Coordinates of all heavy atoms in Angstrom, one line a residue:
M1 N 2.8 -15.2 11.8 CA 3.5 -15.8 13.0 C 4.3 -14.8 13.6 O 4.7 -13.8 13.0 CB 4.3 -17.0 12.5 CG 5.8 -16.9 12.5 SD 6.7 -18.2 11.8 CE 5.8 -18.7 10.3
K2 N 4.6 -15.0 14.9 CA 5.4 -14.0 15.6 C 6.9 -14.2 15.5 O 7.3 -15.3 15.5 CB 5.0 -14.1 17.1 CG 4.2 -12.9 17.6 CD 4.0 -12.9 19.1 CE 3.1 -11.8 19.5 NZ 2.7 -11.9 20.9
C3 N 7.6 -13.1 15.3 CA 9.1 -13.2 15.1 C 9.7 -13.6 16.5 O 9.4 -12.9 17.5 CB 9.6 -11.9 14.6 SG 11.4 -11.8 14.7
P4 N 10.5 -14.7 16.5 CA 11.1 -15.0 17.8 C 12.1 -14.1 18.3 O 12.5 -14.0 19.5 CB 11.7 -16.4 17.5 CG 11.9 -16.4 16.1 CD 10.9 -15.5 15.5
R5 N 12.6 -13.2 17.4 CA 13.7 -12.3 17.8 C 13.1 -11.0 18.3 O 13.5 -10.5 19.4 CB 14.5 -12.0 16.6 CG 15.9 -11.4 17.0 CD 16.6 -10.8 15.8 NE 17.5 -11.6 15.2 CZ 18.1 -11.3 14.0 NH1 17.8 -10.2 13.4 NH2 19.0 -12.1 13.5
C6 N 12.2 -10.4 17.6 CA 11.7 -9.0 18.0 C 10.2 -9.0 18.3 O 9.6 -8.0 18.6 CB 12.0 -8.0 16.9 SG 11.0 -8.2 15.4
K7 N 9.5 -10.2 18.3 CA 8.1 -10.4 18.7 C 7.1 -9.6 17.8 O 6.1 -9.3 18.2 CB 7.9 -10.0 20.1 CG 8.9 -10.7 21.1 CD 8.4 -12.0 21.5 CE 9.3 -12.7 22.5 NZ 10.4 -13.5 21.9
T8 N 7.6 -9.4 16.5 CA 6.7 -8.7 15.6 C 5.8 -9.7 14.9 O 6.2 -10.8 14.5 CB 7.5 -7.9 14.5 OG1 8.3 -7.0 15.2 CG2 6.6 -7.2 13.6
E9 N 4.4 -9.4 14.8 CA 3.5 -10.3 14.2 C 3.6 -10.1 12.7 O 3.5 -9.0 12.2 CB 2.1 -10.0 14.6 CG 1.0 -10.9 14.1 CD 1.3 -12.4 14.4 OE1 1.5 -12.8 15.5 OE2 1.4 -13.2 13.4
N10 N 4.0 -11.2 12.0 CA 4.2 -11.2 10.6 C 3.2 -11.9 9.7 O 3.4 -12.1 8.5 CB 5.6 -11.7 10.3 CG 6.7 -10.8 10.7 OD1 6.9 -9.8 10.1 ND2 7.3 -11.1 11.8
G11 N 2.1 -12.4 10.3 CA 1.1 -13.1 9.6 C 1.7 -14.4 9.0 O 2.2 -15.2 9.7
T12 N 1.6 -14.6 7.6 CA 2.0 -15.8 7.0 C 3.4 -15.6 6.4 O 3.9 -16.5 5.7 CB 1.1 -16.2 5.9 OG1 0.9 -15.1 5.0 CG2 -0.3 -16.6 6.4
R13 N 4.1 -14.5 6.7 CA 5.4 -14.3 6.2 C 6.4 -15.2 6.8 O 6.2 -15.7 7.9 CB 5.9 -12.8 6.5 CG 5.3 -11.8 5.6 CD 5.4 -10.4 6.3 NE 5.2 -9.4 5.4 CZ 6.1 -8.8 4.7 NH1 7.4 -9.2 4.8 NH2 5.9 -7.9 3.8
T14 N 7.5 -15.5 6.1 CA 8.5 -16.4 6.6 C 9.7 -15.5 7.0 O 10.6 -16.0 7.7 CB 8.9 -17.5 5.6 OG1 9.2 -16.8 4.3 CG2 7.8 -18.5 5.4
I15 N 9.7 -14.3 6.5 CA 10.8 -13.4 6.9 C 10.2 -12.2 7.6 O 9.2 -11.6 7.2 CB 11.6 -12.9 5.7 CG1 12.3 -14.1 5.0 CG2 12.7 -11.9 6.0 CD1 12.8 -13.8 3.6
C16 N 10.8 -11.9 8.8 CA 10.2 -10.8 9.6 C 10.3 -9.5 8.9 O 11.3 -9.1 8.3 CB 11.0 -10.7 10.9 SG 10.5 -9.4 12.0
S17 N 9.1 -8.8 8.9 CA 9.1 -7.5 8.2 C 9.8 -6.4 9.0 O 10.1 -5.4 8.4 CB 7.6 -7.1 8.1 OG 7.0 -6.9 9.3
K18 N 10.1 -6.6 10.2 CA 10.8 -5.6 11.0 C 12.3 -5.8 11.1 O 13.1 -4.9 10.7 CB 10.2 -5.6 12.4 CG 10.6 -4.3 13.2 CD 10.0 -4.4 14.6 CE 10.4 -3.2 15.4 NZ 10.0 -3.4 16.8
C19 N 12.8 -7.0 11.5 CA 14.2 -7.2 11.6 C 14.8 -8.2 10.6 O 16.0 -8.3 10.6 CB 14.5 -7.8 13.0 SG 13.9 -9.4 13.3
G20 N 13.9 -8.7 9.7 CA 14.5 -9.6 8.7 C 14.8 -11.0 9.1 O 15.5 -11.7 8.4
Y21 N 14.4 -11.4 10.3 CA 14.7 -12.7 10.8 C 14.0 -13.8 10.0 O 12.8 -13.6 9.6 CB 14.3 -12.8 12.3 CG 14.7 -14.1 13.0 CD1 15.9 -14.2 13.5 CD2 13.7 -15.1 13.1 CE1 16.3 -15.4 14.1 CE2 14.1 -16.3 13.7 CZ 15.4 -16.4 14.2 OH 15.7 -17.6 14.9
F22 N 14.7 -14.8 9.6 CA 14.1 -15.9 8.8 C 13.5 -16.9 9.6 O 14.1 -17.7 10.4 CB 15.2 -16.5 7.9 CG 14.7 -17.4 6.8 CD1 14.0 -16.9 5.8 CD2 14.9 -18.8 6.9 CE1 13.4 -17.7 4.8 CE2 14.3 -19.6 5.9 CZ 13.6 -19.1 4.8
M23 N 12.1 -17.0 9.5 CA 11.3 -18.0 10.3 C 10.7 -19.0 9.3 O 9.6 -18.8 8.8 CB 10.2 -17.3 11.1 CG 10.7 -16.0 11.8 SD 9.2 -15.1 12.3 CE 8.8 -14.2 10.8
Y24 N 11.4 -20.1 9.1 CA 10.9 -21.0 8.1 C 10.0 -22.1 8.8 O 10.4 -22.8 9.7 CB 12.0 -21.7 7.3 CG 11.5 -22.6 6.3 CD1 10.7 -22.1 5.2 CD2 11.7 -24.0 6.4 CE1 10.2 -23.0 4.3 CE2 11.2 -24.9 5.4 CZ 10.4 -24.4 4.4 OH 9.9 -25.2 3.4
H25 N 8.7 -22.1 8.4 CA 7.8 -23.1 8.8 C 7.1 -23.7 7.6 O 6.2 -23.1 7.0 CB 6.8 -22.5 9.8 CG 7.3 -22.5 11.2 ND1 6.8 -23.3 12.2 CD2 8.3 -21.7 11.8 CE1 7.5 -23.0 13.3 NE2 8.4 -22.1 13.1
P26 N 7.5 -24.9 7.2 CA 7.0 -25.5 5.9 C 5.4 -25.6 5.9 O 4.8 -25.3 4.9 CB 7.6 -26.9 5.9 CG 8.3 -27.1 7.1 CD 8.5 -25.8 7.8
D27 N 4.8 -25.9 7.1 CA 3.3 -26.1 7.1 C 2.6 -24.7 6.7 O 1.7 -24.7 6.0 CB 2.9 -26.6 8.4 CG 3.4 -25.8 9.6 OD1 4.4 -25.2 9.5 OD2 2.7 -25.7 10.6
I28 N 3.1 -23.7 7.3 CA 2.5 -22.4 7.0 C 2.8 -21.9 5.6 O 1.9 -21.4 4.9 CB 3.1 -21.3 8.0 CG1 2.4 -21.6 9.4 CG2 2.8 -19.9 7.6 CD1 3.0 -20.8 10.5
A29 N 4.0 -22.2 5.1 CA 4.4 -21.8 3.7 C 3.5 -22.5 2.7 O 3.1 -22.0 1.7 CB 5.8 -22.0 3.5
N30 N 3.2 -23.8 3.0 CA 2.5 -24.6 2.1 C 1.0 -24.3 2.1 O 0.3 -24.5 1.2 CB 2.7 -26.1 2.3 CG 4.1 -26.5 2.0 OD1 4.8 -25.9 1.1 ND2 4.6 -27.6 2.6
R31 N 0.5 -24.0 3.3 CA -0.9 -23.8 3.5 C -1.4 -22.5 2.7 O -2.5 -22.6 2.1 CB -1.2 -23.6 5.0 CG -2.7 -23.7 5.3 CD -2.9 -23.6 6.8 NE -2.4 -22.3 7.3 CZ -2.0 -22.1 8.6 NH1 -2.0 -23.1 9.5 NH2 -1.6 -20.9 9.0
Q32 N -0.7 -21.5 2.8 CA -1.2 -20.2 2.2 C 0.0 -19.5 1.4 O 0.8 -18.9 2.0 CB -1.7 -19.3 3.3 CG -2.6 -18.3 2.7 CD -3.3 -17.4 3.8 OE1 -3.0 -17.6 4.9 NE2 -4.0 -16.4 3.4
K33 N 0.0 -19.7 0.1 CA 1.0 -19.1 -0.7 C 0.4 -17.7 -1.2 O -0.6 -17.7 -1.8 CB 1.4 -20.0 -1.9 CG 2.5 -20.9 -1.5 CD 3.2 -21.4 -2.8 CE 4.4 -22.2 -2.4 NZ 5.0 -22.9 -3.6
M34 N 1.2 -16.7 -0.9 CA 0.7 -15.4 -1.3 C 1.2 -15.0 -2.7 O 2.4 -15.3 -3.0 CB 1.3 -14.4 -0.3 CG 0.4 -14.2 0.9 SD 1.0 -12.8 1.9 CE -0.4 -12.4 2.9
T35 N 0.4 -14.5 -3.5 CA 0.8 -14.0 -4.8 C 1.5 -12.6 -4.5 O 1.4 -12.1 -3.4 CB -0.4 -13.8 -5.7 OG1 -1.3 -12.8 -5.2 CG2 -1.1 -15.1 -5.9
K36 N 2.1 -12.1 -5.6 CA 2.8 -10.8 -5.4 C 1.7 -9.7 -5.1 O 2.0 -8.8 -4.3 CB 3.5 -10.4 -6.7 CG 4.9 -11.0 -6.7 CD 5.8 -10.3 -7.7 CE 7.2 -10.8 -7.6 NZ 8.1 -10.2 -8.7
G37 N 0.5 -9.8 -5.7 CA -0.5 -8.8 -5.4 C -0.9 -8.9 -3.9 O -1.0 -7.9 -3.3
Q38 N -1.1 -10.1 -3.4 CA -1.5 -10.3 -2.0 C -0.4 -9.8 -1.1 O -0.7 -9.2 0.0 CB -1.8 -11.8 -1.7 CG -3.1 -12.2 -2.3 CD -3.3 -13.7 -2.1 OE1 -2.4 -14.5 -2.4 NE2 -4.5 -14.1 -1.7
Q39 N 0.8 -10.0 -1.5 CA 1.9 -9.6 -0.7 C 1.9 -8.1 -0.6 O 2.2 -7.5 0.4 CB 3.2 -10.1 -1.3 CG 4.4 -10.0 -0.3 CD 4.3 -10.8 1.0 OE1 4.2 -12.0 0.9 NE2 4.1 -10.1 2.1
A40 N 1.7 -7.4 -1.8 CA 1.6 -6.0 -1.8 C 0.5 -5.4 -0.9 O 0.7 -4.4 -0.2 CB 1.4 -5.5 -3.2
V41 N -0.6 -6.1 -0.9 CA -1.7 -5.7 -0.1 C -1.3 -5.8 1.4 O -1.6 -4.9 2.2 CB -3.0 -6.6 -0.4 CG1 -4.1 -6.3 0.7 CG2 -3.5 -6.2 -1.7
A42 N -0.6 -6.9 1.7 CA -0.2 -7.2 3.1 C 0.8 -6.1 3.5 O 0.8 -5.6 4.6 CB 0.4 -8.5 3.2
D43 N 1.7 -5.8 2.6 CA 2.7 -4.7 2.9 C 2.0 -3.4 3.1 O 2.4 -2.6 4.0 CB 3.7 -4.6 1.8 CG 4.7 -5.8 1.8 OD1 4.8 -6.5 2.8 OD2 5.4 -6.0 0.8
T44 N 1.0 -3.1 2.3 CA 0.3 -1.8 2.4 C -0.4 -1.8 3.8 O -0.5 -0.7 4.4 CB -0.8 -1.7 1.3 OG1 -0.1 -2.0 0.1 CG2 -1.4 -0.4 1.3
K45 N -0.9 -2.9 4.2 CA -1.6 -3.0 5.5 C -0.6 -2.6 6.6 O -1.0 -2.0 7.6 CB -2.2 -4.4 5.7 CG -3.6 -4.5 5.2 CD -4.2 -5.9 5.5 CE -5.5 -6.1 4.7 NZ -5.9 -7.5 4.8
I46 N 0.6 -3.2 6.5 CA 1.6 -2.9 7.6 C 1.9 -1.4 7.6 O 2.0 -0.8 8.7 CB 2.9 -3.7 7.3 CG1 2.6 -5.2 7.5 CG2 4.1 -3.2 8.1 CD1 3.7 -6.1 7.0
V47 N 2.1 -0.8 6.4 CA 2.4 0.6 6.3 C 1.2 1.4 6.8 O 1.3 2.4 7.6 CB 2.7 1.0 4.9 CG1 2.9 2.5 4.8 CG2 4.0 0.3 4.4
G48 N 0.0 1.0 6.4 CA -1.3 1.6 6.9 C -1.4 1.6 8.4 O -1.9 2.6 8.9
K49 N -1.0 0.5 9.0 CA -1.1 0.4 10.5 C -0.2 1.5 11.1 O -0.6 2.2 12.1 CB -0.6 -0.9 10.9 CG -1.8 -1.9 11.3 CD -1.2 -3.1 11.9 CE -2.3 -4.2 12.0 NZ -1.8 -5.5 12.3
K50 N 1.0 1.7 10.6 CA 1.9 2.7 11.1 C 1.4 4.1 10.9 O 1.4 4.9 11.8 CB 3.3 2.5 10.4 CG 4.1 1.3 10.9 CD 5.4 1.1 10.2 CE 6.1 -0.1 10.7 NZ 7.2 -0.5 9.8
V51 N 0.9 4.3 9.7 CA 0.3 5.6 9.4 C -0.9 5.9 10.3 O -1.1 7.0 10.8 CB -0.1 5.7 7.9 CG1 -0.8 7.0 7.6 CG2 1.2 5.6 7.0
G52 N -1.7 4.8 10.5 CA -2.9 5.0 11.3 C -2.6 5.4 12.7 O -3.3 6.1 13.4
K53 N -1.5 4.8 13.2 CA -1.0 5.1 14.6 C -0.7 6.6 14.7 O -1.1 7.3 15.6 CB 0.2 4.3 15.0 CG -0.1 3.2 16.0 CD 1.2 2.6 16.4 CE 1.0 1.4 17.3 NZ 2.2 0.7 17.7
V54 N 0.0 7.1 13.7 CA 0.4 8.5 13.7 C -0.8 9.4 13.5 O -1.0 10.4 14.3 CB 1.4 8.8 12.5 CG1 1.7 10.3 12.4 CG2 2.7 8.0 12.7
L55 N -1.7 9.0 12.7 CA -3.0 9.8 12.4 C -3.8 9.8 13.7 O -4.4 10.8 14.0 CB -3.8 9.1 11.3 CG -3.4 9.5 9.9 CD1 -4.2 8.8 8.9 CD2 -3.5 11.0 9.7
K56 N -3.8 8.7 14.5 CA -4.5 8.7 15.7 C -4.0 9.8 16.7 O -4.8 10.5 17.3 CB -4.3 7.3 16.4 CG -5.6 6.8 17.1 CD -5.5 5.4 17.4 CE -5.5 5.1 18.9 NZ -5.3 3.7 19.2
Y57 N -2.7 9.9 16.8 CA -2.1 11.0 17.7 C -2.5 12.4 17.1 O -2.8 13.3 17.9 CB -0.6 10.8 17.8 CG -0.2 9.6 18.7 CD1 0.4 8.5 18.2 CD2 -0.6 9.7 20.0 CE1 0.7 7.4 19.0 CE2 -0.2 8.6 20.9 CZ 0.4 7.5 20.3 OH 0.7 6.5 21.2
V58 N -2.4 12.5 15.8 CA -2.7 13.8 15.2 C -4.1 14.2 15.5 O -4.4 15.3 15.8 CB -2.4 13.8 13.6 CG1 -2.9 15.0 13.0 CG2 -0.9 13.6 13.4
W59 N -5.0 13.2 15.3 CA -6.5 13.4 15.5 C -6.7 13.8 17.0 O -7.5 14.7 17.3 CB -7.2 12.1 15.2 CG -8.7 12.2 15.4 CD1 -9.4 11.5 16.3 CD2 -9.6 13.1 14.8 NE1 -10.7 11.9 16.3 CE2 -10.9 12.9 15.3 CE3 -9.5 14.1 13.8 CZ2 -12.0 13.6 14.9 CZ3 -10.6 14.8 13.4 CH2 -11.8 14.5 14.0
M60 N -6.0 13.1 17.9 CA -6.2 13.4 19.3 C -5.8 14.8 19.6 O -6.5 15.5 20.4 CB -5.3 12.4 20.2 CG -6.1 11.2 20.7 SD -5.0 9.9 21.3 CE -4.3 10.7 22.7
I61 N -4.7 15.3 19.0 CA -4.2 16.7 19.2 C -5.2 17.7 18.7 O -5.5 18.7 19.3 CB -2.8 16.8 18.6 CG1 -1.8 16.1 19.4 CG2 -2.4 18.3 18.5 CD1 -0.5 15.8 18.6
I62 N -5.8 17.4 17.5 CA -6.8 18.3 16.9 C -8.0 18.4 17.8 O -8.5 19.4 18.0 CB -7.1 17.8 15.5 CG1 -5.9 17.9 14.5 CG2 -8.4 18.5 14.9 CD1 -6.1 17.2 13.2
V63 N -8.5 17.2 18.3 CA -9.6 17.2 19.1 C -9.4 18.0 20.4 O -10.2 18.8 20.8 CB -10.0 15.7 19.5 CG1 -11.0 15.7 20.6 CG2 -10.6 15.0 18.3
L64 N -8.2 17.8 21.0 CA -7.8 18.6 22.2 C -7.8 20.1 21.9 O -8.4 20.9 22.7 CB -6.4 18.2 22.6 CG -6.4 17.1 23.7 CD1 -4.9 16.6 23.9 CD2 -6.9 17.6 25.0
I65 N -7.3 20.5 20.8 CA -7.2 21.9 20.4 C -8.6 22.5 20.2 O -9.0 23.5 20.8 CB -6.3 22.1 19.2 CG1 -4.9 21.9 19.5 CG2 -6.5 23.6 18.6 CD1 -4.0 21.7 18.3
V66 N -9.4 21.7 19.5 CA -10.8 22.2 19.2 C -11.6 22.3 20.5 O -12.3 23.2 20.7 CB -11.5 21.3 18.2 CG1 -13.0 21.6 18.0 CG2 -10.8 21.4 16.8
T67 N -11.5 21.2 21.3 CA -12.2 21.2 22.6 C -11.8 22.4 23.5 O -12.7 23.0 24.0 CB -12.0 19.9 23.3 OG1 -12.2 18.8 22.4 CG2 -12.9 19.7 24.5
S68 N -10.5 22.6 23.6 CA -10.1 23.7 24.5 C -10.5 25.0 23.9 O -10.8 26.0 24.6 CB -8.5 23.6 24.7 OG -7.9 23.6 23.4
F69 N -10.5 25.1 22.6 CA -11.0 26.4 21.9 C -12.4 26.7 22.3 O -12.8 27.8 22.7 CB -10.8 26.3 20.4 CG -11.5 27.4 19.7 CD1 -10.9 28.6 19.6 CD2 -12.7 27.2 19.1 CE1 -11.5 29.7 18.9 CE2 -13.4 28.3 18.4 CZ -12.7 29.5 18.3
W70 N -13.3 25.6 22.2 CA -14.7 25.8 22.5 C -14.9 26.1 24.0 O -15.8 26.8 24.4 CB -15.5 24.6 22.0 CG -15.8 24.7 20.6 CD1 -15.2 23.9 19.6 CD2 -16.6 25.6 19.9 NE1 -15.7 24.3 18.4 CE2 -16.5 25.4 18.5 CE3 -17.4 26.7 20.3 CZ2 -17.2 26.1 17.5 CZ3 -18.1 27.5 19.3 CH2 -17.9 27.2 18.0
L71 N -14.1 25.5 24.8 CA -14.2 25.7 26.3 C -13.9 27.2 26.5 O -14.6 27.9 27.3 CB -13.2 24.8 27.0 CG -13.7 23.5 27.5 CD1 -12.6 22.6 28.0 CD2 -14.8 23.6 28.5
V72 N -12.8 27.7 25.9 CA -12.4 29.1 26.1 C -13.5 30.0 25.6 O -13.9 31.0 26.2 CB -11.0 29.4 25.5 CG1 -10.7 30.9 25.4 CG2 -9.9 28.6 26.2
A73 N -14.0 29.7 24.4 CA -15.0 30.5 23.7 C -16.3 30.5 24.6 O -16.9 31.6 24.8 CB -15.3 29.9 22.3
G74 N -16.6 29.4 25.2 CA -17.8 29.3 26.0 C -17.6 30.1 27.3 O -18.5 30.9 27.7
M75 N -16.4 30.1 27.9 CA -16.1 30.9 29.1 C -16.2 32.4 28.8 O -16.8 33.1 29.5 CB -14.7 30.5 29.5 CG -14.6 29.1 30.1 SD -14.3 29.1 31.8 CE -12.5 29.2 31.9
V76 N -15.6 32.8 27.6 CA -15.6 34.2 27.2 C -17.1 34.6 27.0 O -17.5 35.7 27.5 CB -14.8 34.4 25.9 CG1 -15.1 35.8 25.3 CG2 -13.3 34.2 26.2
F77 N -17.9 33.8 26.4 CA -19.3 34.1 26.2 C -20.0 34.2 27.5 O -20.8 35.2 27.7 CB -19.9 32.9 25.4 CG -21.4 33.1 25.2 CD1 -21.9 34.0 24.3 CD2 -22.3 32.3 25.8 CE1 -23.3 34.2 24.1 CE2 -23.7 32.4 25.7 CZ -24.2 33.3 24.8
L78 N -19.8 33.3 28.5 CA -20.4 33.4 29.8 C -20.0 34.6 30.6 O -20.8 35.3 31.2 CB -20.1 32.1 30.6 CG -20.9 30.9 30.2 CD1 -20.3 29.7 31.0 CD2 -22.4 31.1 30.5
M79 N -18.7 34.9 30.5 CA -18.1 36.1 31.2 C -18.8 37.4 30.6 O -19.2 38.3 31.3 CB -16.6 36.2 30.9 CG -15.8 35.2 31.7 SD -16.0 35.3 33.5 CE -14.7 36.4 33.9
G80 N -19.0 37.4 29.3 CA -19.7 38.5 28.6 C -21.1 38.7 29.1 O -21.6 39.8 29.4
L81 N -21.8 37.5 29.3 CA -23.2 37.6 29.8 C -23.2 38.2 31.2 O -24.1 39.0 31.5 CB -23.7 36.1 29.8 CG -24.3 35.6 28.5 CD1 -24.9 34.2 28.8 CD2 -25.4 36.5 27.9
I82 N -22.2 37.7 32.0 CA -22.2 38.2 33.4 C -21.9 39.7 33.5 O -22.6 40.4 34.2 CB -21.2 37.3 34.2 CG1 -21.7 35.9 34.4 CG2 -20.9 38.0 35.6 CD1 -20.5 34.9 34.7
T83 N -20.9 40.1 32.8 CA -20.5 41.5 32.9 C -21.5 42.4 32.2 O -21.7 43.6 32.6 CB -19.1 41.7 32.2 OG1 -19.1 41.1 30.9 CG2 -18.0 41.2 33.0
D84 N -22.3 41.9 31.3 CA -23.3 42.8 30.6 C -24.5 43.0 31.6 O -25.2 44.0 31.5 CB -23.8 42.1 29.3 CG -22.8 42.4 28.2 OD1 -21.9 43.2 28.4 OD2 -22.9 41.7 27.1
G85 N -24.7 42.0 32.5 CA -25.7 42.1 33.5 C -27.1 41.7 32.9 O -27.9 42.4 32.4
Ligands
ZN101 ZN1 11.7 -9.7 13.8

């Protein structure tokens, strides 16, 4: 469920994972009770999402560097072909 205070999606949690806002909904709490293991998995997913976001930016930067390197390498190669005649 979405936190009414900070609009963070918290799934079946009753306490917001971001701001700690208490969102009590008996129907949701009764429908799906999470064991400690499931809760740990859910918490790992939340952390994984954050790490994934950072990794996405790191990956984009790496791709940019590699792409620009190959562009420059290709240009140098072409220039060498032209100057060699
Ligand atoms: Zn919140």
Side-chain angles (χ1 to χ4, degrees):
M1 115 185 40
K2 252 186 184 172
C3 172
R5 198 199 263 170
C6 68
K7 308 277 183 270
T8 302
E9 184 55 57
N10 286 287
T12 54
R13 282 163 166 267
T14 49
I15 297 167
C16 177
S17 60
K18 197 180 174 188
C19 70
Y21 186 82
F22 191 69
M23 314 166 279
Y24 183 64
H25 275 250
D27 53 330
I28 285 167
N30 291 335
R31 192 176 62 205
Q32 201 177 358
K33 270 199 173 173
M34 272 186 161
T35 63
K36 271 198 175 177
Q38 284 175 313
Q39 193 62 65
V41 170
D43 285 345
T44 309
K45 272 183 189 169
I46 289 167
V47 174
K49 259 186 192 170
K50 283 177 186 167
V51 173
K53 252 186 183 175
V54 174
L55 276 178
K56 216 166 119 183
Y57 284 115
V58 171
W59 178 244
M60 265 166 67
I61 290 162
I62 291 169
V63 167
L64 266 170
I65 290 167
V66 171
T67 308
S68 54
F69 170 79
W70 280 111
L71 270 172
V72 170
M75 292 250 273
V76 168
F77 176 72
L78 283 174
M79 290 298 271
L81 278 183
I82 291 161
T83 48
D84 282 348

